mmCIF file of all heavy atoms in Angstrom:
data_model
loop_
_atom_site.group_PDB
_atom_site.id
_atom_site.type_symbol
_atom_site.label_atom_id
_atom_site.label_comp_id
_atom_site.label_asym_id
_atom_site.label_seq_id
_atom_site.Cartn_x
_atom_site.Cartn_y
_atom_site.Cartn_z
ATOM 1 N N VAL A 25 191.469 126.745 123.614
ATOM 2 C CA VAL A 25 192.836 127.192 123.869
ATOM 3 C C VAL A 25 193.843 126.730 122.857
ATOM 4 O O VAL A 25 194.917 127.332 122.711
ATOM 5 C CB VAL A 25 193.306 126.737 125.269
ATOM 6 C CG1 VAL A 25 192.334 127.209 126.346
ATOM 7 C CG2 VAL A 25 193.462 125.225 125.359
ATOM 8 N N ASP A 26 193.555 125.655 122.143
ATOM 9 C CA ASP A 26 194.524 125.101 121.168
ATOM 10 C C ASP A 26 194.066 125.228 119.724
ATOM 11 O O ASP A 26 194.741 124.731 118.831
ATOM 12 C CB ASP A 26 194.841 123.641 121.524
ATOM 13 C CG ASP A 26 193.613 122.792 121.741
ATOM 14 O OD1 ASP A 26 192.498 123.253 121.347
ATOM 15 O OD2 ASP A 26 193.751 121.705 122.352
ATOM 16 N N GLY A 27 192.900 125.857 119.502
ATOM 17 C CA GLY A 27 192.472 126.107 118.156
ATOM 18 C C GLY A 27 191.959 124.881 117.411
ATOM 19 O O GLY A 27 191.911 124.913 116.160
ATOM 20 N N ASP A 28 191.572 123.844 118.128
ATOM 21 C CA ASP A 28 191.076 122.620 117.463
ATOM 22 C C ASP A 28 189.586 122.630 117.214
ATOM 23 O O ASP A 28 189.018 121.667 116.737
ATOM 24 C CB ASP A 28 191.497 121.383 118.223
ATOM 25 C CG ASP A 28 190.825 121.245 119.609
ATOM 26 O OD1 ASP A 28 190.102 122.192 120.035
ATOM 27 O OD2 ASP A 28 191.025 120.232 120.256
ATOM 28 N N GLY A 29 188.905 123.747 117.577
ATOM 29 C CA GLY A 29 187.498 123.852 117.374
ATOM 30 C C GLY A 29 186.640 123.247 118.446
ATOM 31 O O GLY A 29 185.365 123.280 118.369
ATOM 32 N N ARG A 30 187.255 122.788 119.565
ATOM 33 C CA ARG A 30 186.503 122.241 120.677
ATOM 34 C C ARG A 30 186.732 123.139 121.914
ATOM 35 O O ARG A 30 187.840 123.469 122.228
ATOM 36 C CB ARG A 30 186.920 120.792 120.986
ATOM 37 C CG ARG A 30 186.584 119.827 119.872
ATOM 38 C CD ARG A 30 187.074 118.422 120.144
ATOM 39 N NE ARG A 30 188.526 118.386 120.067
ATOM 40 C CZ ARG A 30 189.213 117.212 120.057
ATOM 41 N NH1 ARG A 30 188.580 116.083 120.081
ATOM 42 N NH2 ARG A 30 190.568 117.265 119.970
ATOM 43 N N LEU A 31 185.644 123.436 122.588
ATOM 44 C CA LEU A 31 185.740 124.333 123.745
ATOM 45 C C LEU A 31 186.360 123.559 124.959
ATOM 46 O O LEU A 31 185.912 122.461 125.333
ATOM 47 C CB LEU A 31 184.364 124.850 124.156
ATOM 48 C CG LEU A 31 183.777 125.902 123.226
ATOM 49 C CD1 LEU A 31 182.356 126.297 123.705
ATOM 50 C CD2 LEU A 31 184.665 127.122 123.160
ATOM 51 N N ASP A 32 187.374 124.138 125.591
ATOM 52 C CA ASP A 32 187.972 123.611 126.784
ATOM 53 C C ASP A 32 187.416 124.370 127.990
ATOM 54 O O ASP A 32 186.726 125.393 127.840
ATOM 55 C CB ASP A 32 189.497 123.800 126.692
ATOM 56 C CG ASP A 32 190.057 123.223 125.388
ATOM 57 O OD1 ASP A 32 189.976 121.985 125.210
ATOM 58 O OD2 ASP A 32 190.562 124.031 124.588
ATOM 59 N N MET A 33 187.769 123.910 129.196
ATOM 60 C CA MET A 33 187.276 124.501 130.428
ATOM 61 C C MET A 33 188.405 124.693 131.418
ATOM 62 O O MET A 33 189.255 123.831 131.535
ATOM 63 C CB MET A 33 186.209 123.655 131.107
ATOM 64 C CG MET A 33 184.854 123.580 130.475
ATOM 65 S SD MET A 33 183.645 122.776 131.568
ATOM 66 C CE MET A 33 184.263 121.135 131.671
ATOM 67 N N ALA A 34 188.419 125.811 132.077
ATOM 68 C CA ALA A 34 189.275 126.045 133.263
ATOM 69 C C ALA A 34 188.350 126.289 134.474
ATOM 70 O O ALA A 34 187.448 127.130 134.385
ATOM 71 C CB ALA A 34 190.210 127.216 133.031
ATOM 72 N N ILE A 35 188.594 125.555 135.542
ATOM 73 C CA ILE A 35 187.687 125.587 136.705
ATOM 74 C C ILE A 35 188.466 126.107 137.939
ATOM 75 O O ILE A 35 189.528 125.582 138.249
ATOM 76 C CB ILE A 35 187.107 124.190 137.013
ATOM 77 C CG1 ILE A 35 186.561 123.527 135.755
ATOM 78 C CG2 ILE A 35 186.057 124.266 138.101
ATOM 79 C CD1 ILE A 35 185.419 124.262 135.101
ATOM 80 N N SER A 36 187.859 127.131 138.570
ATOM 81 C CA SER A 36 188.469 127.534 139.875
ATOM 82 C C SER A 36 187.782 126.758 141.022
ATOM 83 O O SER A 36 186.591 126.500 140.965
ATOM 84 C CB SER A 36 188.336 129.047 140.069
ATOM 85 O OG SER A 36 186.971 129.416 140.330
ATOM 86 N N ARG A 37 188.605 126.424 142.020
ATOM 87 C CA ARG A 37 188.098 125.662 143.128
ATOM 88 C C ARG A 37 188.470 126.372 144.419
ATOM 89 O O ARG A 37 189.580 126.861 144.601
ATOM 90 C CB ARG A 37 188.687 124.200 143.113
ATOM 91 C CG ARG A 37 188.394 123.531 141.792
ATOM 92 C CD ARG A 37 188.597 122.007 141.814
ATOM 93 N NE ARG A 37 189.996 121.650 141.870
ATOM 94 C CZ ARG A 37 190.404 120.417 141.570
ATOM 95 N NH1 ARG A 37 189.533 119.434 141.247
ATOM 96 N NH2 ARG A 37 191.697 120.083 141.681
ATOM 97 N N GLN A 38 187.485 126.418 145.327
ATOM 98 C CA GLN A 38 187.666 127.197 146.571
ATOM 99 C C GLN A 38 188.596 126.437 147.527
ATOM 100 O O GLN A 38 188.315 125.305 147.909
ATOM 101 C CB GLN A 38 186.289 127.475 147.239
ATOM 102 C CG GLN A 38 186.351 128.506 148.320
ATOM 103 C CD GLN A 38 186.527 129.935 147.820
ATOM 104 O OE1 GLN A 38 186.310 130.184 146.655
ATOM 105 N NE2 GLN A 38 186.864 130.841 148.691
ATOM 106 N N TRP A 39 189.755 127.035 147.883
ATOM 107 C CA TRP A 39 190.724 126.490 148.802
ATOM 108 C C TRP A 39 191.346 125.188 148.201
ATOM 109 O O TRP A 39 191.675 124.264 148.964
ATOM 110 C CB TRP A 39 190.171 126.235 150.166
ATOM 111 C CG TRP A 39 189.602 127.480 150.750
ATOM 112 C CD1 TRP A 39 188.267 127.799 150.943
ATOM 113 C CD2 TRP A 39 190.348 128.640 151.190
ATOM 114 N NE1 TRP A 39 188.161 129.061 151.456
ATOM 115 C CE2 TRP A 39 189.431 129.588 151.611
ATOM 116 C CE3 TRP A 39 191.700 128.945 151.241
ATOM 117 C CZ2 TRP A 39 189.780 130.855 152.093
ATOM 118 C CZ3 TRP A 39 192.080 130.177 151.714
ATOM 119 C CH2 TRP A 39 191.150 131.142 152.164
ATOM 120 N N ASP A 40 191.514 125.134 146.889
ATOM 121 C CA ASP A 40 192.153 124.012 146.253
ATOM 122 C C ASP A 40 192.748 124.474 144.940
ATOM 123 O O ASP A 40 192.414 125.554 144.456
ATOM 124 C CB ASP A 40 191.188 122.867 146.048
ATOM 125 C CG ASP A 40 191.845 121.481 146.096
ATOM 126 O OD1 ASP A 40 192.943 121.358 145.564
ATOM 127 O OD2 ASP A 40 191.221 120.532 146.594
ATOM 128 N N ASP A 41 193.566 123.629 144.303
ATOM 129 C CA ASP A 41 194.160 123.965 143.029
ATOM 130 C C ASP A 41 193.082 124.123 141.970
ATOM 131 O O ASP A 41 192.132 123.333 141.936
ATOM 132 C CB ASP A 41 195.134 122.859 142.588
ATOM 133 C CG ASP A 41 196.424 122.875 143.382
ATOM 134 O OD1 ASP A 41 196.735 123.910 143.975
ATOM 135 O OD2 ASP A 41 197.099 121.835 143.409
ATOM 136 N N PRO A 42 193.237 125.064 141.049
ATOM 137 C CA PRO A 42 192.335 125.102 139.891
ATOM 138 C C PRO A 42 192.699 123.938 138.976
ATOM 139 O O PRO A 42 193.770 123.289 139.160
ATOM 140 C CB PRO A 42 192.734 126.442 139.226
ATOM 141 C CG PRO A 42 194.200 126.640 139.538
ATOM 142 C CD PRO A 42 194.313 126.075 140.958
ATOM 143 N N VAL A 43 191.833 123.653 138.022
ATOM 144 C CA VAL A 43 192.071 122.558 137.100
ATOM 145 C C VAL A 43 191.694 122.969 135.715
ATOM 146 O O VAL A 43 190.717 123.685 135.517
ATOM 147 C CB VAL A 43 191.325 121.252 137.551
ATOM 148 C CG1 VAL A 43 189.830 121.515 137.545
ATOM 149 C CG2 VAL A 43 191.698 120.086 136.635
ATOM 150 N N PHE A 44 192.499 122.534 134.711
ATOM 151 C CA PHE A 44 192.170 122.777 133.307
ATOM 152 C C PHE A 44 191.697 121.479 132.714
ATOM 153 O O PHE A 44 192.366 120.434 132.864
ATOM 154 C CB PHE A 44 193.397 123.290 132.609
ATOM 155 C CG PHE A 44 193.205 123.479 131.096
ATOM 156 C CD1 PHE A 44 192.477 124.556 130.612
ATOM 157 C CD2 PHE A 44 193.688 122.530 130.203
ATOM 158 C CE1 PHE A 44 192.300 124.721 129.266
ATOM 159 C CE2 PHE A 44 193.510 122.699 128.816
ATOM 160 C CZ PHE A 44 192.795 123.780 128.358
ATOM 161 N N TYR A 45 190.574 121.486 132.013
ATOM 162 C CA TYR A 45 190.023 120.331 131.338
ATOM 163 C C TYR A 45 190.128 120.562 129.841
ATOM 164 O O TYR A 45 189.411 121.317 129.230
ATOM 165 C CB TYR A 45 188.573 120.095 131.753
ATOM 166 C CG TYR A 45 188.421 119.555 133.119
ATOM 167 C CD1 TYR A 45 187.884 120.329 134.158
ATOM 168 C CD2 TYR A 45 188.791 118.227 133.417
ATOM 169 C CE1 TYR A 45 187.727 119.845 135.421
ATOM 170 C CE2 TYR A 45 188.601 117.701 134.711
ATOM 171 C CZ TYR A 45 188.091 118.529 135.684
ATOM 172 O OH TYR A 45 187.948 118.011 136.971
ATOM 173 N N ARG A 46 191.051 119.768 129.215
ATOM 174 C CA ARG A 46 191.229 119.842 127.787
ATOM 175 C C ARG A 46 190.088 118.955 127.127
ATOM 176 O O ARG A 46 189.868 117.843 127.548
ATOM 177 C CB ARG A 46 192.569 119.311 127.316
ATOM 178 C CG ARG A 46 192.869 119.529 125.840
ATOM 179 C CD ARG A 46 194.291 119.128 125.497
ATOM 180 N NE ARG A 46 195.276 119.876 126.300
ATOM 181 C CZ ARG A 46 195.683 121.121 125.989
ATOM 182 N NH1 ARG A 46 195.168 121.688 124.919
ATOM 183 N NH2 ARG A 46 196.542 121.715 126.758
ATOM 184 N N ASN A 47 189.433 119.528 126.129
ATOM 185 C CA ASN A 47 188.363 118.820 125.475
ATOM 186 C C ASN A 47 188.928 117.788 124.535
ATOM 187 O O ASN A 47 189.583 118.119 123.537
ATOM 188 C CB ASN A 47 187.477 119.805 124.715
ATOM 189 C CG ASN A 47 186.186 119.200 124.189
ATOM 190 O OD1 ASN A 47 186.109 118.014 123.971
ATOM 191 N ND2 ASN A 47 185.164 120.030 124.073
ATOM 192 N N THR A 48 188.711 116.515 124.892
ATOM 193 C CA THR A 48 189.233 115.409 124.041
ATOM 194 C C THR A 48 188.071 114.633 123.454
ATOM 195 O O THR A 48 188.245 113.425 123.100
ATOM 196 C CB THR A 48 190.083 114.510 124.886
ATOM 197 O OG1 THR A 48 189.338 113.958 126.019
ATOM 198 C CG2 THR A 48 191.320 115.236 125.428
ATOM 199 N N GLY A 49 186.905 115.224 123.380
ATOM 200 C CA GLY A 49 185.698 114.520 122.876
ATOM 201 C C GLY A 49 185.885 113.862 121.540
ATOM 202 O O GLY A 49 186.573 114.426 120.668
ATOM 203 N N ALA A 50 185.244 112.710 121.368
ATOM 204 C CA ALA A 50 185.372 111.958 120.143
ATOM 205 C C ALA A 50 184.417 112.402 119.051
ATOM 206 O O ALA A 50 184.544 111.933 117.883
ATOM 207 C CB ALA A 50 185.183 110.483 120.441
ATOM 208 N N ALA A 51 183.482 113.236 119.400
ATOM 209 C CA ALA A 51 182.435 113.638 118.397
ATOM 210 C C ALA A 51 183.132 114.382 117.242
ATOM 211 O O ALA A 51 183.858 115.352 117.442
ATOM 212 C CB ALA A 51 181.389 114.487 119.040
ATOM 213 N N ASP A 52 182.877 113.910 116.033
ATOM 214 C CA ASP A 52 183.480 114.505 114.832
ATOM 215 C C ASP A 52 182.527 115.479 114.174
ATOM 216 O O ASP A 52 182.051 115.250 113.060
ATOM 217 C CB ASP A 52 183.912 113.436 113.891
ATOM 218 C CG ASP A 52 184.726 113.973 112.672
ATOM 219 O OD1 ASP A 52 185.288 115.072 112.828
ATOM 220 O OD2 ASP A 52 184.775 113.276 111.642
ATOM 221 N N ASN A 53 182.269 116.562 114.855
ATOM 222 C CA ASN A 53 181.289 117.562 114.395
ATOM 223 C C ASN A 53 182.020 118.842 113.972
ATOM 224 O O ASN A 53 183.113 119.129 114.479
ATOM 225 C CB ASN A 53 180.233 117.865 115.469
ATOM 226 C CG ASN A 53 179.314 116.723 115.718
ATOM 227 O OD1 ASN A 53 178.870 116.042 114.792
ATOM 228 N ND2 ASN A 53 178.994 116.494 116.985
ATOM 229 N N GLY A 54 181.406 119.563 113.043
ATOM 230 C CA GLY A 54 181.984 120.832 112.617
ATOM 231 C C GLY A 54 181.703 121.970 113.609
ATOM 232 O O GLY A 54 180.885 121.849 114.538
ATOM 233 N N PHE A 55 182.386 123.077 113.384
ATOM 234 C CA PHE A 55 182.244 124.229 114.267
ATOM 235 C C PHE A 55 182.468 125.506 113.468
ATOM 236 O O PHE A 55 183.059 125.527 112.378
ATOM 237 C CB PHE A 55 183.273 124.192 115.405
ATOM 238 C CG PHE A 55 184.656 124.479 114.997
ATOM 239 C CD1 PHE A 55 185.206 125.778 115.138
ATOM 240 C CD2 PHE A 55 185.489 123.471 114.443
ATOM 241 C CE1 PHE A 55 186.481 126.057 114.744
ATOM 242 C CE2 PHE A 55 186.775 123.781 114.001
ATOM 243 C CZ PHE A 55 187.300 125.072 114.162
ATOM 244 N N LEU A 56 181.973 126.588 114.039
ATOM 245 C CA LEU A 56 182.262 127.964 113.480
ATOM 246 C C LEU A 56 182.666 128.802 114.711
ATOM 247 O O LEU A 56 181.975 128.875 115.699
ATOM 248 C CB LEU A 56 180.991 128.549 112.883
ATOM 249 C CG LEU A 56 181.155 129.927 112.275
ATOM 250 C CD1 LEU A 56 182.005 129.842 110.989
ATOM 251 C CD2 LEU A 56 179.819 130.610 111.982
ATOM 252 N N ALA A 57 183.884 129.339 114.622
ATOM 253 C CA ALA A 57 184.420 130.190 115.683
ATOM 254 C C ALA A 57 184.783 131.566 115.087
ATOM 255 O O ALA A 57 185.524 131.657 114.110
ATOM 256 C CB ALA A 57 185.653 129.583 116.299
ATOM 257 N N LEU A 58 184.221 132.614 115.678
ATOM 258 C CA LEU A 58 184.416 133.960 115.145
ATOM 259 C C LEU A 58 185.097 134.837 116.178
ATOM 260 O O LEU A 58 184.673 134.937 117.349
ATOM 261 C CB LEU A 58 183.019 134.587 114.828
ATOM 262 C CG LEU A 58 182.146 133.824 113.862
ATOM 263 C CD1 LEU A 58 180.828 134.592 113.623
ATOM 264 C CD2 LEU A 58 182.840 133.540 112.545
ATOM 265 N N ASP A 59 186.217 135.431 115.790
ATOM 266 C CA ASP A 59 186.887 136.470 116.558
ATOM 267 C C ASP A 59 186.469 137.825 115.973
ATOM 268 O O ASP A 59 186.948 138.197 114.896
ATOM 269 C CB ASP A 59 188.407 136.301 116.493
ATOM 270 C CG ASP A 59 188.881 135.043 117.190
ATOM 271 O OD1 ASP A 59 188.342 134.704 118.253
ATOM 272 O OD2 ASP A 59 189.784 134.388 116.670
ATOM 273 N N LEU A 60 185.616 138.529 116.674
ATOM 274 C CA LEU A 60 185.029 139.758 116.182
ATOM 275 C C LEU A 60 185.652 140.943 116.946
ATOM 276 O O LEU A 60 185.508 141.098 118.160
ATOM 277 C CB LEU A 60 183.509 139.794 116.382
ATOM 278 C CG LEU A 60 182.759 138.608 115.786
ATOM 279 C CD1 LEU A 60 181.266 138.727 116.069
ATOM 280 C CD2 LEU A 60 182.961 138.577 114.252
ATOM 281 N N THR A 61 186.399 141.768 116.225
ATOM 282 C CA THR A 61 187.086 142.915 116.801
ATOM 283 C C THR A 61 186.807 144.164 116.051
ATOM 284 O O THR A 61 186.398 144.175 114.887
ATOM 285 C CB THR A 61 188.595 142.671 116.786
ATOM 286 O OG1 THR A 61 189.065 142.500 115.433
ATOM 287 C CG2 THR A 61 188.971 141.427 117.612
ATOM 288 N N HIS A 62 186.953 145.314 116.762
ATOM 289 C CA HIS A 62 186.810 146.606 116.141
ATOM 290 C C HIS A 62 187.921 146.841 115.129
ATOM 291 O O HIS A 62 188.988 146.193 115.173
ATOM 292 C CB HIS A 62 186.869 147.709 117.197
ATOM 293 C CG HIS A 62 185.629 147.798 118.016
ATOM 294 N ND1 HIS A 62 184.459 148.378 117.570
ATOM 295 C CD2 HIS A 62 185.378 147.401 119.334
ATOM 296 C CE1 HIS A 62 183.525 148.329 118.542
ATOM 297 N NE2 HIS A 62 184.058 147.748 119.577
ATOM 298 N N GLU A 63 187.703 147.732 114.192
ATOM 299 C CA GLU A 63 188.700 148.101 113.208
ATOM 300 C C GLU A 63 189.953 148.631 113.891
ATOM 301 O O GLU A 63 189.881 149.210 114.981
ATOM 302 C CB GLU A 63 188.187 149.159 112.248
ATOM 303 C CG GLU A 63 187.212 148.610 111.209
ATOM 304 C CD GLU A 63 186.796 149.671 110.227
ATOM 305 O OE1 GLU A 63 186.633 150.848 110.643
ATOM 306 O OE2 GLU A 63 186.629 149.367 109.065
ATOM 307 N N GLY A 64 191.105 148.448 113.254
ATOM 308 C CA GLY A 64 192.349 148.872 113.818
ATOM 309 C C GLY A 64 192.866 147.812 114.767
ATOM 310 O O GLY A 64 192.421 146.676 114.837
#
């Protein structure tokens, strides 16, 4: 969600508030993220 290269999670909960988990992991690893769209 913030473009830092780490996957975050949003969790739905039955009969309770949903929760967003921001990925704050300390692992200093590289990533490849591809946004693949049709032409135009």
Side-chain angles (χ1 to χ4, degrees):
V25 305
D26 48 17
D28 66 355
R30 293 177 293 192
L31 288 176
D32 309 294
M33 287 191 296
I35 310 298
S36 71
R37 304 195 288 196
Q38 193 74 15
W39 304 109
D40 209 322
D41 287 338
V43 61
F44 176 77
Y45 286 109
R46 188 174 302 279
N47 192 332
T48 60
D52 187 22
N53 291 319
F55 73 96
L56 182 71
L58 305 180
D59 293 321
L60 303 179
T61 59
H62 286 284
E63 286 185 322

